[in-house]
Amino acid sequence: AGMNSKGTGMLIPVSRGISKAANPAEMAKELKESINNARKTVQETKTCSTNENKEQEIAPYQKDFIDFSLQEGVLKFGSFVLKSGRTSPYFFNAGLFASGASLFKLGKAYAAAIMASEELTDGKGNVNFDVIFGPAYKGISLGAMVCSSLYSDFGV
């Protein structure tokens, strides 16, 4: 997820999938090939006419989420060394969404993103899925808040 216009910037958590495989080297090679094939497909089918020098507009719900993340101290800019050893110009610590108010706003942001998605909606205000899954433990409450926001804000 997160591929940029140059086909880079993807983050794929797979360490256990590779390390516990019968043949880790072969599994890593297969994953690399799958990623490269997916990257090639996206780049070939992408019809983005955005001018590289032109600032891309973001939707109001996206701006609200960025502002909210900055206010909560969740999104920070600087120089950060990640667990992988790589250096990143930003760090997003979702664990700092640690209050009822922040969880409420986070649920609303996710719901707005879902309803703005052409892939997840039918264009008539309906969603194309039946379940919101929030994995244990933090994700359970987030999933509940997303469902609540989908209902209260969008009638879904």
Side-chain angles (χ1 to χ4, degrees):
M3 187 166 66
N4 62 26
S5 62
K6 296 178 183 171
T8 62
M10 297 171 60
L11 296 174
I12 303 169
V14 295
S15 60
R16 288 189 188 123
I18 292 174
S19 66
K20 294 187 182 231
N23 185 340
E26 184 62 32
M27 181 61 77
K29 183 178 177 185
E30 287 176 22
L31 177 63
K32 176 185 169 190
E33 290 170 1
S34 296
I35 292 169
N36 286 334
N37 288 336
R39 178 182 289 139
K40 182 178 178 185
T41 300
V42 169
Q43 288 174 329
E44 288 174 353
T45 60
K46 195 170 187 180
T47 56
C48 182
S49 61
T50 304
N51 181 347
E52 292 292 329
N53 297 325
K54 181 180 170 186
E55 186 176 317
Q56 289 183 338
E57 292 184 29
I58 63 172
Y61 76 90
Q62 293 170 320
K63 183 182 181 325
D64 291 345
F65 179 72
I66 291 170
D67 291 342
F68 165 57
S69 298
L70 289 166
Q71 289 169 355
E72 293 290 313
V74 171
L75 176 60
K76 295 180 181 180
F77 293 95
S79 181
F80 303 92
V81 178
L82 307 177
K83 288 180 184 177
S84 65
R86 295 179 67 184
T87 302
S88 174
Y90 66 91
F91 187 71
F92 192 90
N93 183 357
L96 295 177
F97 288 127
S99 70
S102 65
L103 187 59
F104 174 77
K105 289 181 182 179
L106 189 58
K108 291 176 84 59
Y110 272 77
I114 289 169
M115 295 309 292
S117 169
E118 293 178 7
E119 291 83 14
L120 299 176
T121 60
D122 64 3
K124 299 175 188 173
N126 300 307
V127 294
N128 296 333
F129 55 86
D130 298 322
V131 176
I132 297 279
F133 177 72
Y137 288 96
K138 294 176 185 177
I140 295 170
S141 55
L142 178 57
M145 292 306 298
V146 171
C147 289
S148 176
S149 294
L150 282 169
Y151 175 74
S152 67
D153 296 351
F154 301 99
V156 174

